[in-house]
Amino acid sequence: MRHFGFCSLLTIFFFSISFAQVTDSDRLFKVATDYVKEKKYTEAVSIFEELARNNEHDAQYNLAFLISSGKGITKNYSEALFWAFLSQLGKIEKAEELTEDLIDVVPEKVLKDVREKVLEHLLSRFESGDIGVLTELGDFYLLVLEEQDFENAYLWYNVASALGVQNSAEIRDKVEKELEPDTIVKMQDASRKRYKEFTSKESTEEKKGIKKTEKNYES
């Protein structure tokens, strides 16, 4: 099993923070990484978990690393793999190596369960109207499953493209080349349903916001 340089990871993220507008999550991330340098792993795990649950992909990677190493919390390969998969879908490059290592040490049944939990998590983000999850759902079917599912990947990238998500149209068109014509038509119909489902949620939220604004104005 490969060993991972956590300190080098910290350097990368500190560098990115110094050239960006600092947010509350940035501050928390820095606190957590400082805790790691001070070997206060329990405190670091607590903060990274909070950020990870808020879909901060770099924090998901760090949390997965600490859990897989048993630093600040007991080792749990299935939990670490869950967070590692999510960070991989969030384009954290080091996560791919970590997921490969963890896949090697968990039983097939556990691996299947973790993949199902990852999909459930992504779909819950879709249900909440998180547009950022659309390409992650597409990538789930291309990167996380043992065998690539081009049909469902096409579905989600088609929705993402319709909503203007960057680079999604290019990937959709590449995936389309892997599908038969009748399958393309079937998945286009399925993606239209998902598109309407997503946009109807957006419309409902906008109406709620307008009503709230009107109420505040009247008061």
Side-chain angles (χ1 to χ4, degrees):
M1 196 170 181
R2 288 185 288 270
H3 298 281
F4 299 93
F6 200 81
C7 288
S8 63
L9 177 73
L10 300 182
T11 301
I12 292 170
F13 286 128
F14 278 138
F15 180 84
S16 63
I17 288 172
S18 66
F19 286 91
Q21 183 178 358
V22 177
T23 64
D24 287 340
S25 65
D26 291 334
R27 293 188 187 95
L28 281 173
F29 192 94
K30 184 180 185 306
V31 170
T33 52
D34 285 344
Y35 278 142
V36 171
K37 293 168 73 174
E38 296 165 9
K39 298 186 178 180
K40 295 180 179 179
Y41 298 118
T42 301
E43 292 88 341
V45 166
S46 178
I47 295 175
F48 283 137
E49 184 172 8
E50 178 184 344
L51 295 174
R53 293 188 184 283
N54 197 38
N55 303 309
E56 301 272 352
H57 298 302
D58 48 3
Q60 288 171 344
Y61 172 81
N62 289 358
L63 180 61
F65 179 89
L66 289 172
I67 294 172
S68 68
S69 304
K71 293 180 181 293
I73 195 168
T74 56
K75 274 190 177 185
N76 188 311
Y77 291 142
S78 60
E79 185 181 2
L81 182 57
F82 171 79
W83 293 115
F85 271 141
L86 289 176
S87 62
Q88 181 182 359
L89 292 172
K91 308 301 184 187
I92 303 300
E93 292 183 6
K94 286 178 175 286
E96 184 176 355
E97 297 178 70
L98 184 54
T99 56
E100 289 175 357
D101 283 344
L102 290 167
I103 285 171
D104 288 340
V105 296
V106 299
E108 190 61 36
K109 183 181 183 304
V110 171
L111 177 56
K112 180 181 177 182
D113 290 343
V114 172
R115 283 172 170 148
E116 289 175 355
K117 288 178 182 177
V118 169
L119 181 57
E120 287 174 7
H121 177 82
L122 297 175
L123 289 173
S124 71
R125 287 176 58 193
F126 170 78
E127 292 296 330
S128 69
D130 182 354
I131 195 171
V133 79
L134 297 175
T135 53
E136 291 179 39
L137 277 161
D139 281 344
F140 172 85
Y141 290 102
L142 297 178
L143 303 176
V144 174
L145 297 183
E146 185 176 3
E147 293 185 9
Q148 291 179 312
D149 180 344
F150 292 110
E151 292 184 21
N152 279 300
Y154 180 79
L155 183 159
W156 291 110
Y157 270 107
N158 199 23
V159 176
S161 176
L163 291 166
V165 178
Q166 189 175 11
N167 299 323
S168 56
E170 292 85 345
I171 300 175
R172 177 203 60 194
D173 292 345
K174 288 180 181 178
V175 173
E176 184 175 299
K177 294 176 182 179
E178 303 293 332
L179 302 175
E180 296 295 329
D182 58 336
T183 302
I184 293 171
V185 172
K186 180 182 75 173
M187 299 317 294
Q188 286 177 345
D189 289 341
S191 62
R192 176 63 62 85
K193 291 178 182 178
R194 286 295 195 176
Y195 171 80
K196 287 182 176 180
E197 184 181 345
F198 188 86
T199 53
S200 66
K201 291 178 189 298
E202 282 190 324
S203 178
T204 300
E205 290 301 316
E206 287 175 2
K207 288 177 182 177
K208 286 180 181 178
I210 292 170
K211 288 181 179 179
K212 186 176 180 180
T213 302
E214 290 173 347
K215 188 175 181 180
N216 290 339
Y217 178 77
E218 289 170 359
S219 62

